[in-house]
Amino acid sequence: MNRACWILLALFVIFTATTLTASAATVDENTQAIADLEAALTFVWLLVAGAIVFLMHAGFSLVEVGLTRSKNTANILMKNFMTICLGILVYWAVGWGIMYGADAAGLIGIDQFFLKGADNALWNSWWFQMVFAATGATIVSGAMAERTDLKAYLLYTIVLVAFIYPVYGHWVWSGADKALLSGAESPIVKIVGVGFHDFAGSGVVHSIGGYAALAGVMLVGARIGKFRNGKPVAIPGHNLTFAFLGTLILAVGWIGFNGGSTLDGNDAYMNLVIANTFISAAAGAVTVMMITWIKNGKPDPSLTANGLLAGLVAITAPCGSVSNWAALVIGLVGGIVVYKGVMFNENILKLDDPVGAIAVHGYAGSWGLLAVGIFSIGMGNGILSDAAYAAEGVGLIYGGYGQFVIQFVGMVLSIIWGFGISYIVFKMIDLIVRIRVPAGDEIAGLDQVEHGIRAYPEYVLNREEA
């Protein structure tokens, strides 16, 4: 190699070394870059998870439409559509502030209304929490379908998203030191020694919605023809295909519902949450299929679909703090709960719930809260960090009596709050606009009466259905 080549090679080495030295990041710079990437991943994860939960409103619409009669299809679609639209505006204006605003005595938030002072992180959190808020009202829609006045339902939706849901949510998820059920300075937590745990909303979302539905169904009464001589009569829905498709969409939605509730796109145990979620769901469906097959000689499709939903609801609270085998048991019991709950509502309480929402969300939600207190292996044992959940927060089978006690207290409060306040609100709405449509309107169908159209304009109602 001649001298010129050696000179060029030397210059290249010097240039390369100088460039690499100048561009090399320090340890602090690398640390910050990693932290920025992790923060961005969490932002994106919550946006995507929220979008998946948003899609659940399509699932709720299809389930409710499929399990009811065709003459009410447009009305049901309108209710579910406006639930999320109103939910967005109401939770932005009021609900978020009550749920996550500055704490007042551990009971309620008192600022951040209209997201005042919001930054990128707060907008991200609001989006994810908002899609949960509207879900509670959708539960009520299904239970009261086919005979509830649209104005009454919309008014109730506003109250639930603005006040009923976020108040209980503040007690559980606000992170405030004095938060009634989860704060370290709460008198209840101090007495019991451990905080209430509801990972993704068996209580906050499903129990509140389910027991609100119970209040509404009790007040609105049964559909015409549902009970004859005190005995329940089946009123078949018009499209089982829709009902099953909606159920599967809801199941997909739970990936965002439970998985997103890690609130961290870098969470090491996110996949445990998803695995537990679907193990429980499958166990619930199989259980109900077997029960109905044994009792009736044939498996019941709609009840089986509700078994899957009950398994999903039940695992929503404990999905991040139990082992896979426990998730299986939780789903199995959830299936039993929903089947017995539907039978109890119809045969004993004489309640008419077209979609089984009270049993699926209320009763199975309560079971999910108790399941934490029975099966939890403890948040301090390497399964998802949660500041409100002590290291000794283990279930009964591991000697954790305190966790079961606080879960029982939280469950009872969810029933009292969800049912009691909703009963009062529905009573007040009934005085203002009435909650039930006239008998003639119910018989004609709410599509024609409330909206002046039919969802299936080429379909002529037969005499039996009309």
Side-chain angles (χ1 to χ4, degrees):
M1 184 179 294
N2 59 38
R3 182 178 298 179
C5 291
W6 282 110
I7 293 172
L8 288 174
L9 179 61
L11 290 173
F12 176 76
V13 171
I14 293 170
F15 173 79
T16 303
T18 304
T19 302
L20 290 175
T21 301
S23 62
T26 65
V27 172
D28 289 342
E29 288 172 337
N30 279 330
T31 300
Q32 183 60 48
I34 292 171
D36 291 344
L37 181 61
E38 290 178 340
L41 182 60
T42 292
F43 280 157
V44 172
W45 170 231
L46 290 183
L47 289 173
V48 172
I52 298 172
V53 176
F54 188 96
L55 185 63
M56 292 176 74
H57 289 277
F60 279 116
S61 298
L62 287 170
V63 169
E64 188 177 343
V65 164
L67 295 178
T68 53
R69 290 165 291 184
S70 61
K71 62 183 179 180
N72 298 305
T73 298
N75 177 257
I76 289 168
L77 293 174
M78 188 71 172
K79 284 193 303 176
N80 281 273
F81 185 80
M82 291 311 302
T83 295
I84 186 61
C85 291
L86 285 172
I88 292 169
L89 297 177
V90 173
Y91 198 69
W92 165 73
V94 182
W96 169 271
I98 289 178
M99 192 162 175
Y100 288 104
D103 177 65
L107 299 176
I108 194 171
I110 55 174
D111 67 0
Q112 295 186 30
F113 300 115
F114 300 97
L115 295 187
K116 184 178 180 181
D119 57 12
N120 197 38
L122 193 148
W123 285 316
N124 188 250
S125 296
W126 170 83
W127 158 251
F128 184 69
Q129 296 299 335
M130 177 278 297
V131 291
F132 278 65
T135 300
T138 304
I139 294 168
V140 178
S141 172
M144 299 177 67
E146 301 201 279
R147 73 275 201 199
T148 302
D149 185 279
L150 179 63
K151 295 186 296 296
Y153 171 76
L154 295 180
L155 285 173
Y156 178 77
T157 295
I158 292 171
V159 176
L160 183 138
V161 177
F163 183 73
I164 299 173
Y165 168 84
V167 167
Y168 187 81
H170 185 84
W171 301 347
V172 179
W173 286 344
S174 67
D177 289 340
K178 295 182 180 180
L180 186 63
L181 287 171
S182 60
E185 298 301 316
S186 164
I188 296 176
V189 175
K190 283 184 175 181
I191 292 172
V192 178
V194 65
F196 179 76
H197 178 69
D198 183 3
F199 185 82
S202 288
V204 175
V205 180
H206 297 286
S207 285
I208 293 299
Y211 292 111
L214 176 61
V217 169
M218 289 179 65
L219 288 172
V220 78
R223 290 169 293 174
I224 296 171
K226 177 60 182 177
F227 293 98
R228 295 176 186 171
N229 300 320
K231 295 183 178 181
V233 176
I235 302 178
H238 84 282
N239 197 319
L240 196 59
T241 302
F242 281 2
F244 267 77
L245 179 59
T247 300
L248 292 173
I249 290 174
L250 288 173
V252 171
W254 249 274
I255 296 173
F257 208 94
N258 287 3
S261 292
T262 58
L263 304 180
D264 184 356
N266 309 278
D267 194 285
Y269 290 95
M270 186 186 300
N271 291 317
L272 169 71
V273 169
I274 300 300
N276 280 343
T277 297
F278 284 88
I279 290 170
S280 180
V286 172
T287 299
V288 176
M289 181 189 72
M290 295 305 299
I291 290 173
T292 58
W293 208 333
I294 292 169
K295 292 185 71 68
N296 305 327
K298 297 178 181 179
D300 185 289
S302 61
L303 280 175
T304 299
N306 270 344
L308 183 132
L309 294 177
L312 290 166
V313 169
I315 198 62
T316 295
C319 58
S321 60
V322 300
S323 301
N324 289 164
W325 71 265
L328 180 74
V329 175
I330 291 167
L332 189 154
V333 175
I336 297 172
V337 167
V338 77
Y339 176 79
K340 292 292 186 181
V342 169
M343 297 301 111
F344 177 73
N345 286 346
E346 288 197 349
N347 296 299
I348 305 300
L349 298 182
K350 307 299 180 184
L351 297 176
D352 180 14
D353 177 356
V355 302
I358 298 168
V360 168
H361 300 278
Y363 303 161
S366 291
W367 159 238
L369 294 178
L370 292 180
V372 174
I374 298 172
F375 299 104
S376 175
I377 59 179
M379 285 300 204
N381 294 334
I383 307 297
L384 301 171
S385 60
D386 188 330
Y389 200 74
E392 63 271 19
V394 295
L396 279 177
I397 63 174
Y398 301 107
Y401 303 104
Q403 193 63 52
F404 183 81
V405 171
I406 193 67
Q407 294 302 125
F408 180 81
V409 171
M411 180 201 72
V412 171
L413 284 178
S414 74
I415 297 171
I416 293 173
W417 182 254
F419 175 83
I421 300 300
S422 295
Y423 193 92
I424 294 170
V425 170
F426 274 123
K427 273 285 192 182
M428 295 174 62
I429 292 174
D430 195 35
L431 293 174
I432 300 170
V433 298
R434 79 185 178 193
I435 61 174
R436 181 163 188 149
V437 299
D441 292 355
E442 181 181 345
I443 292 171
L446 300 186
D447 286 5
Q448 194 67 39
V449 173
E450 295 267 21
H451 309 284
I453 62 170
R454 285 178 176 167
Y456 307 101
E458 296 179 358
Y459 177 71
V460 179
L461 297 173
N462 59 46
R463 292 182 179 180
E464 182 180 353
E465 184 176 22

